Amino acid sequence: MAGVRGAMGEAARTAADVAKFGFYVQLRRALNPENPKVFRALHSADRLVPAVWRSGRSLTEDELLRSGLEPQVDRALRIQYRVAVTELALGRFTRETLQPFVQVEGRHHLDAALALGKGVVWVYPHAGAVMLMLVWLVKNGYPYTQYAARGLAPKDVAEAHGELLGHNRWRQAVRDARERDEDQTGGTFLSLSQPARELYRTLARNELVGIAFDGRIGNKWQPYTFLGRQALINPGAWRLAASTGAMLVPCYNTVPDSGPALCTIGEAIDPKEVGADQRVLRFVEEQIRRSPAEYAPWLLHCRLRNTIDDHPLFTDQAEDDRWRKWIGSGTGS
């Protein structure tokens, strides 16, 4: 199927595009969250994933080793598959049907932060069952606004990097199916193209604003030491908290080899405290070192996109020197 070109200059359709369409669009229609046995049966197939999914293995292992992490590549692949299967029912979960799939530890930290009445900036990395975490929050009575990029890559970026980010009808169908499910969770989704003032209104209502601090979209970057490497991280999460008085509440999502996913919530952090950003990163780094497989897919994701922009997650794998312009913008190291 590779090499077949769609109409109107679409990116070439690949076998991977068709496989993702079958998984994210067709299989989604067949799953019912009221029948967890079906999910458990599909999850049990995770042992087959490392044998058939070989793309990116060496790069994933290299990223883990560079970060001083145990190279749990096979476990990372199995976790990624299980999370993807469960998230196919994302928009149809209720509080009751979600219970077999995700649990939360440290809820009292979140409640203590909200008791101050200024909202919470909920910060986390792209690791584990992030979307199940979001659904758990909403279904358990925490109004939640997710601030992140949505949709396919902008047209100019997609055209410049067609193989990786190009648009075609298959990729669009997958993206549309996933975002329709997200919209049915009860959470609110704000993209970076929308006015940031809504984030301030959300926090003023004593609600949650969720931000993945390791995301690659934005126009401000600072160098930090993270996982023993120089990383370029957008300081927007802690700046938002500091400007509103909202507490920073970090969390990390793990996926045990059996049983439900787990969201571990850390202690609330006053954003005006000296080194508040460092405390967030330390909490997350400690969690990653305990369970690195959940973070491995994001390490690979970022490594594959190092050629696209001037702010790679880790500068030791930058394709050129454009990232150096951010070093003068201040450091969190």
Side-chain angles (χ1 to χ4, degrees):
M1 293 178 195
V4 177
R5 183 158 297 279
M8 299 182 290
E10 288 185 337
R13 182 186 67 191
T14 67
D17 290 335
V18 177
K20 289 179 180 178
F21 177 85
F23 183 87
Y24 288 106
V25 179
Q26 305 288 52
L27 183 57
R28 185 183 302 271
R29 299 168 180 165
L31 292 179
N32 182 350
E34 295 181 1
N35 189 359
K37 289 183 180 179
V38 175
F39 288 87
R40 285 197 293 270
L42 288 169
H43 287 171
S44 68
D46 69 346
R47 64 187 183 280
L48 304 175
V49 174
V52 299
W53 195 353
R54 299 182 179 279
S55 177
R57 291 182 65 91
S58 61
L59 290 181
T60 303
E61 181 175 4
D62 184 59
E63 282 296 307
L64 288 165
L65 291 172
R66 284 175 179 270
S67 302
L69 302 172
E70 186 179 347
Q72 299 178 358
V73 179
D74 284 359
R75 186 166 184 270
L77 292 171
R78 295 174 71 171
I79 285 174
Q80 189 175 28
Y81 164 77
R82 293 205 308 276
V83 169
V85 167
T86 308
E87 289 183 351
L88 291 175
L90 196 67
R92 288 167 286 156
F93 281 118
T94 65
R95 182 178 179 181
E96 291 71 28
T97 58
L98 188 62
Q99 289 180 3
F101 297 98
V102 61
Q103 295 181 349
V104 168
E105 182 179 273
R107 180 176 181 174
H108 60 287
H109 294 312
L110 173 58
D111 291 338
L114 288 172
L116 299 175
K118 295 187 176 182
V120 160
V121 178
W122 179 263
V123 281
Y124 59 90
H126 286 86
V130 168
M131 297 307 297
L132 294 183
M133 167 202 78
L134 181 156
V135 178
W136 185 93
L137 289 167
V138 173
K139 300 305 181 186
N140 281 274
Y142 298 98
Y144 184 94
T145 295
Q146 179 69 43
Y147 189 54
R150 298 190 89 195
L152 297 177
K155 185 177 179 181
D156 57 336
V157 176
E159 290 178 350
H161 307 278
E163 182 177 352
L164 190 61
L165 299 176
H167 298 180
N168 62 36
R169 65 193 69 184
W170 302 83
R171 297 175 187 178
Q172 188 66 58
V174 167
R175 174 55 58 183
D176 289 346
R178 297 178 72 171
E179 292 188 358
R180 276 196 302 270
D181 249 7
E182 292 173 1
D183 290 338
Q184 292 171 4
T185 62
T188 299
F189 293 85
L190 287 180
S191 70
L192 279 65
S193 62
Q194 295 170 286
R197 62 178 175 270
E198 186 56 37
L199 301 179
Y200 290 83
R201 293 171 180 162
T202 298
L203 294 172
R205 294 192 298 267
N206 199 30
E207 297 176 359
L208 277 67
V209 168
I211 299 176
F213 69 81
D214 56 356
R216 308 321 300 153
I217 303 297
N219 54 22
K220 294 180 180 178
W221 305 94
Q222 281 186 202
Y224 285 86
T225 298
F226 180 53
L227 295 174
R229 304 163 71 181
Q230 180 170 259
L232 294 177
I233 292 174
N234 190 320
W238 19 95
R239 287 181 175 176
L240 174 64
S243 67
T244 60
M247 296 295 279
L248 289 160
V249 177
C251 74
Y252 188 70
N253 295 283
T254 52
V255 183
D257 292 333
S258 62
L262 177 65
C263 174
T264 300
I265 303 174
E267 292 183 358
I269 299 168
D270 185 340
K272 295 180 181 178
E273 171 189 322
V274 175
D277 49 359
Q278 298 288 350
R279 283 190 61 190
V280 171
L281 296 180
R282 277 200 303 273
F283 169 83
V284 171
E285 184 167 338
E286 288 170 2
Q287 298 297 320
I288 291 174
R289 294 201 180 282
R290 290 190 186 106
S291 194
E294 287 83 354
Y295 200 52
W298 189 248
L299 291 175
L300 175 62
H301 174 93
C302 294
R303 175 75 169 264
L304 292 174
R305 286 159 176 74
N306 277 351
T307 60
I308 293 175
D309 53 44
D310 62 3
H311 51 275
L313 178 57
F314 293 112
T315 60
D316 59 10
Q317 279 298 298
E319 295 288 325
D320 52 48
D321 289 338
R322 289 177 297 159
W323 60 270
R324 293 186 180 280
K325 75 179 188 179
W326 300 108
I327 301 301
S329 64
T331 181
S333 300

